[in-house]
Amino acid sequence: MLRFEHEILFTPCPERIARLRELAYNLWWTWHPEAQDLYRSIDPELWELVYHNPVDFLRDVRQRKLEAAANDPAYLKRYDAVLKSFDSYMSAKKTWFSKNYPDAKDTLIAYFSAEFGLHESLPIYSGGLGILSGDHIKEASDMGIPLVGVGFIYPQGYFRQRLDQSGWQFAEYNKLNFADVPALPALDPEGREVVVEVELPGRTIYAKVYKFQVGRNELLLMDTDIHPNSPQDRELSARLYGGDQEMRISQELVLGVGGVRALRRLGYKPTVWHMNEGHSAFLVLELCRELVAQGYSFEQAMEQVKAHCVFTTHTPVPAGNDAFPLPMIEKFFWSFWPQLNLTRDEFMSLALQEQQWGPTFAMTALALRFSAFHNGVSKLHGHVARGMWQWLYPGRSQDEVPITSITNGVHTATWLAPEMRTLYNSYLGKNWEDNLDDPQIWRKVYQIPDETFWRTRQKLKSDLIAFSRQRLQQHYMRLGIPAPVWPVLEENILTIGFARRFATYKRATLLFKDVERLKYILNRPGKPIQIIFAGKAHPKDDPGKHFIQDVYRMAMQPGLAGRIIFLEEYDIAVGRALVQGVDVWLNNPRRPYEASGTSGMKASLNGAPNCSVLDGWWPEAYNGRNGWAIGDEREYASQEEQDWNDAQSLYHLLEHEIAPRFYDNRDANGIPVEWVQICKEAIATVAPLFSTRRMLADYLREMYMPVAVQDTPTGV
Ligand SMILES: *Cc1c(COP(=O)(O)O)cnc(C)c1O
């Protein structure tokens, strides 16, 4: 029996559909649209109002609406079908994992990440890293991989993006009420709520552990907004990537050290510890401390810990690799290093980095030193990371640096439009999802009749346009100004999507290098193009905010107005609408700073080909028939030259390749037959290989299982 802390607050629910509550507390619903429909169809308006959060929904819904559903045979049929598939999912004895690793019963992977992007109603992610963690844990559940996630719940989340009339971004923070989210306090084996303690300078901080059920796996999120923490410490986990470096190191201490303690208190026995990015790397120090306390020397402890840890680095951008000044480390760790039997200097040398701006304690260096396997997130990024961290491996050439690569993927069920799923169900064969990383299965998309395929794509585009217009309307209403008179987006126009964090290396304004040329391209008679932008800049990234403002102002200019729009508040819901509804996905970062990128994978999976710089994952996927490549795979003397060249290449592609493919060669029914082939090729080549299914199979084979089978006399 599940324990509902806030049971008293729910609208009374008829017995016949009482399991709606249980379903709400398993995030399985986040990747099963048919489960979400069980709530939506009861009260569609409320469903929007609570932003697709079923817990909130069940607290606010009118009782008579629940009763109507419980008396509606059609509803009950759907209800029974969803719960049947939920039950068979949860109780399955045979899983992908048990078939492939029948002897690995004791394996447990502890997966640490500073952010988890699971659903729009749970704003505890900022961008690609979080989305990847969310997809990782969902896929682990689908495959039956025993994995427990560890992270933070940020009561104020990341921020909500608001744009003022001039297009300047400001941040809005809403308090997340724990009674509204599908989380329960984690209970230890004796049934008590778990609060862990971590030493900070001059005080102890307490973190309460919440448990989210993600399919078959659990995700533990810590919260410091509790008694008896000081007001300042209660704010510690309030915001993702908020505050100064002191706050950041404190957060990372709670994540790494507190995370290990939370797992111990709950009785978990991980055999693999995965640091997803360096934020959680302090966990290795806590694991060493445990062993030293048992009587091992530091060297023995380090060997043991290293044998069970793996690490993924996610960005070649220096600011993405945390490094703390030594005096700060001293302040936070002076009582910790004696517990490792180390001197100050020995401790500092564990992660000392002297390459940049004086000596620092680098989290990436710490994680690399204390893990058995380490990887970048695409082949190209692996190469770049080997160069970046070569100094840690004296005497080795760049190619010999032991950082491999496992290219990212996306969780198919999360990002696939229900309409496309219906098509795949009809044409890919009955159990296509059991083997969704098998490229052979995906060749069958060629059997989908062009007309059916095209009508489905048109329907998704029309949904996106309706969604975009509504979002714009809301924006103007909030600003208190009338919506524009020009037509906002048109149904039959080639539609390009560009949505991502507005980090400057992603070059959101590249398209505007030559505004006159852009105007010409977007307004060519018979071959017009429209572009939908979305994206957030980090609250402290003013250059990024200027990029947003530039795009916003461009979207007001004669010649571009109506053809370019900017949607506020890029989140998972906006992302889903865009990747499912556009015709082409645009990605033009400054090579080689995009470690992988995943949004283009989501678009391709839905039949919207990628048009991208050959950075991140794209060089591995691009075959000349499944999308377009901007620029060359080369390095430039200056950024100006690189930007100019890439912009020229992009204009050329839009004008001479992409628009003609879309508008020309239509058959008698108006279907662009050549275009449809490109879309199908995008699906067939990207969907299997750039899935989290393929990605997790790689992690198991190359990192998790080699580490898990290690003999562990010390029981790390
Ligand atoms: C997929 C996704 C991202 C990551 O996309 P990139 O290609 O890495 O820029 C970021 N934010 C949201 C909301 C996403 O859905």
Side-chain angles (χ1 to χ4, degrees):
M1 214 15 222
L2 270 175
R3 229 186 76 170
F4 296 111
E5 203 188 17
H6 310 285
E7 181 126 41
I8 196 79
L9 302 174
F10 284 112
T11 306
C13 187
E15 196 52 40
R16 181 66 177 83
I17 54 172
R19 292 189 71 198
L20 283 177
R21 257 184 227 177
E22 178 190 340
L23 200 60
Y25 280 85
N26 188 325
L27 294 172
W28 182 83
W29 60 261
T30 62
W31 68 101
H32 291 86
E34 67 281 11
Q36 295 162 31
D37 277 337
L38 290 182
Y39 304 98
R40 178 190 291 115
S41 59
I42 291 176
D43 186 343
E45 269 173 45
L46 179 62
W47 181 247
E48 292 308 315
L49 219 61
V50 298
Y51 211 40
H52 316 151
N53 174 348
V55 173
D56 222 358
F57 182 88
L58 291 175
R59 282 158 28 95
D60 291 351
V61 67
R62 295 284 178 87
Q63 193 173 351
R64 73 178 160 74
K65 297 220 171 189
L66 290 176
E67 274 157 12
N71 289 313
D72 171 4
Y75 181 87
L76 293 176
K77 198 167 157 218
R78 282 193 290 128
Y79 173 87
D80 291 338
V82 169
L83 280 151
K84 186 166 167 230
S85 95
F86 175 64
D87 286 339
S88 72
Y89 181 92
M90 291 303 288
S91 63
K93 291 268 175 327
K94 270 211 157 33
T95 64
W96 188 100
F97 184 73
S98 72
K99 278 183 222 155
N100 286 275
Y101 296 97
D103 302 323
K105 288 190 187 56
D106 296 331
T107 300
L108 176 64
I109 298 134
Y111 180 83
F112 280 65
S113 184
E115 38 175 317
F116 284 90
L118 292 152
H119 188 256
E120 58 265 26
S121 63
L122 211 53
I124 55 168
Y125 59 93
S126 77
L129 180 70
I131 304 290
L132 185 82
S133 311
D135 280 8
H136 193 110
I137 184 168
K138 290 173 185 172
E139 186 70 56
S141 169
D142 286 349
M143 294 166 79
I145 300 170
L147 178 145
V148 53
V150 180
F152 262 128
I153 182 151
Y154 304 91
Q156 298 178 25
Y158 197 46
F159 67 99
R160 285 190 74 141
Q161 179 189 47
R162 297 298 179 217
L163 300 185
D164 69 14
Q165 258 198 66
S166 75
W168 187 252
Q169 167 184 301
F170 58 99
E172 202 178 275
Y173 293 91
N174 298 331
K175 181 121 171 75
L176 202 61
N177 187 349
F178 286 119
D180 294 344
V181 299
L184 298 169
L187 303 179
D188 69 12
E190 279 78 51
R192 291 170 308 207
E193 296 191 353
V194 172
V195 175
V196 294
E197 304 173 11
V198 177
E199 304 302 319
L200 292 183
R203 64 199 195 275
T204 298
I205 185 166
Y206 301 88
K208 180 166 173 178
V209 186
Y210 284 86
K211 189 176 83 178
F212 290 71
Q213 192 70 38
V214 185
R216 296 187 261 240
N217 290 332
E218 286 172 355
L219 169 61
L220 306 176
L221 299 181
M222 291 173 287
D223 172 33
T224 64
D225 188 8
I226 58 165
H227 184 74
N229 289 333
S230 69
Q232 188 197 344
D233 285 343
R234 295 185 72 142
E235 284 274 304
L236 185 73
S237 66
R239 296 173 183 182
L240 173 59
Y241 306 142
D244 55 11
Q245 266 203 316
E246 286 237 351
M247 181 170 266
R248 187 137 174 147
I249 194 173
S250 308
Q251 280 194 347
E252 295 188 3
L253 256 164
V254 177
L255 177 62
V257 175
V260 173
R261 293 179 184 172
L263 289 167
R264 300 296 191 215
R265 288 276 299 280
L266 290 164
Y268 286 100
K269 295 196 172 59
T271 54
V272 182
W273 302 78
H274 187 171
M275 293 171 270
N276 190 45
E277 193 49 294
H279 307 125
S280 57
F282 289 140
L283 78 86
V284 300
L285 300 179
E286 173 64 4
L287 293 177
C288 284
R289 194 194 57 78
E290 290 178 337
L291 289 171
V292 170
Q294 290 169 32
Y296 292 92
S297 72
F298 176 75
E299 286 68 28
Q300 289 168 325
M302 180 172 175
E303 272 316 298
Q304 281 296 327
V305 170
K306 187 174 166 172
H308 288 277
C309 289
V310 301
F311 167 57
T312 304
T313 176
H314 282 270
T315 179
V317 179
N321 288 269
D322 274 326
F324 299 106
L326 300 193
M328 188 180 287
I329 294 291
E330 184 137 10
K331 178 173 164 190
F332 279 81
F333 283 93
W334 63 268
S335 66
F336 201 100
W337 63 66
Q339 299 179 58
L340 300 177
N341 286 332
L342 295 180
T343 64
R344 176 198 177 275
D345 289 353
E346 286 165 344
F347 183 81
M348 293 301 178
S349 73
L350 299 178
L352 194 65
Q353 170 177 270
E354 295 185 290
Q355 312 324 91
Q356 303 161 349
W357 325 292
T360 51
F361 191 92
M363 298 301 276
T364 305
L366 183 67
L368 285 169
R369 286 229 172 87
F370 281 81
S371 51
F373 296 97
H374 358 271
N375 67 304
V377 290
S378 68
K379 290 199 171 101
L380 177 58
H381 176 231
H383 174 76
V384 172
R386 286 191 285 279
M388 198 166 162
W389 301 102
Q390 193 178 355
W391 61 271
L392 273 175
Y393 306 88
R396 299 209 202 178
S397 69
Q398 182 172 355
D399 288 345
E400 289 166 352
V401 170
I403 300 176
T404 59
S405 69
I406 292 178
T407 304
N408 284 344
V410 295
H411 184 241
T412 310
T414 295
W415 299 104
L416 186 60
E419 291 84 348
M420 293 306 285
R421 170 194 298 276
T422 304
L423 277 190
Y424 298 165
N425 285 345
S426 309
Y427 291 93
L428 297 190
K430 230 172 92 212
N431 297 321
W432 67 273
E433 279 170 296
D434 293 342
N435 298 296
L436 64 83
D437 55 345
D438 178 357
Q440 284 311 324
I441 288 180
W442 289 91
R443 300 315 297 177
K444 297 189 198 149
V445 295
Y446 280 103
Q447 291 167 15
I448 304 174
D450 286 355
E451 167 140 21
T452 313
F453 185 90
W454 180 246
R455 297 285 165 244
T456 306
R457 294 287 322 152
Q458 293 289 95
K459 155 81 168 56
L460 290 170
K461 178 150 84 180
S462 134
D463 290 350
L464 167 64
I465 289 175
F467 173 87
S468 306
R469 286 180 182 153
Q470 197 192 5
R471 283 285 180 130
L472 277 183
Q473 204 73 38
Q474 286 165 355
H475 184 191
Y476 285 111
M477 253 167 64
R478 220 195 41 256
L479 291 176
I481 54 176
V485 288
W486 28 264
V488 176
L489 305 170
E490 294 177 55
E491 302 261 330
N492 294 316
I493 294 186
L494 169 60
T495 305
I496 294 179
F498 182 103
R500 44 188 44 83
R501 286 184 305 116
F502 269 45
T504 46
Y505 77 86
K506 293 184 185 248
R507 296 192 300 190
T509 54
L510 188 75
L511 257 176
F512 304 102
K513 275 266 155 212
D514 183 343
V515 176
E516 289 314 309
R517 180 139 182 219
L518 180 64
K519 282 183 188 166
Y520 166 77
I521 291 173
L522 300 194
N523 295 291
R524 273 200 304 166
K527 294 192 172 52
I529 299 178
Q530 59 194 8
I531 309 176
I532 307 179
F533 279 91
K536 293 156 101 164
H538 187 277
K540 288 197 183 129
D541 177 14
D542 278 353
K545 289 187 218 171
H546 279 291
F547 272 24
I548 292 176
Q549 192 169 41
D550 288 347
V551 174
Y552 190 82
R553 287 183 171 158
M554 284 293 168
M556 306 286 159
Q557 277 206 13
L560 297 177
R563 288 275 187 267
I564 293 182
I565 66 161
F566 190 99
L567 296 182
E568 250 185 354
E569 182 57 10
Y570 178 42
D571 69 355
I572 290 179
V574 172
R576 210 170 41 231
L578 282 168
V579 297
Q580 295 175 357
V582 298
D583 294 306
V584 175
W585 194 253
L586 177 62
N587 179 47
N588 51 28
R590 190 175 287 127
R591 191 176 178 277
Y593 289 109
E594 190 63 88
S596 169
T598 52
S599 50
M601 303 172 185
K602 303 169 195 165
S604 296
L605 166 68
N606 282 290
N610 196 30
C611 171
S612 170
V613 168
L614 284 162
D615 197 8
W617 70 286
W618 191 227
E620 293 166 52
Y622 176 61
N623 69 4
R625 301 181 306 278
N626 59 356
W628 298 272
I630 303 166
D632 309 304
E633 284 182 277
R634 51 170 279 210
E635 271 137 49
Y636 290 89
S638 72
Q639 288 191 351
E640 288 71 34
E641 189 190 339
Q642 185 174 11
D643 291 356
W644 194 85
N645 271 293
D646 286 346
Q648 295 310 310
S649 167
L650 176 54
Y651 292 138
H652 180 87
L653 283 174
L654 290 175
E655 184 177 349
H656 299 288
E657 299 286 337
I658 298 177
R661 289 287 170 285
F662 184 84
Y663 288 107
D664 297 344
N665 283 325
R666 299 240 169 174
D667 72 5
N669 297 318
I671 294 155
V673 285
E674 238 187 301
W675 182 265
V676 167
Q677 294 313 297
I678 299 172
C679 299
K680 289 182 178 174
E681 181 72 9
I683 296 168
T685 53
V686 173
L689 295 185
F690 299 91
S691 61
T692 40
R693 180 71 50 89
R694 187 275 310 149
M695 179 183 90
L696 267 158
D698 287 352
Y699 273 105
L700 281 167
R701 194 179 56 251
E702 293 174 26
M703 308 207 4
Y704 293 162
M705 295 322 283
V707 161
V709 299
Q710 297 266 345
D711 200 21
T712 55
T714 53
V716 162

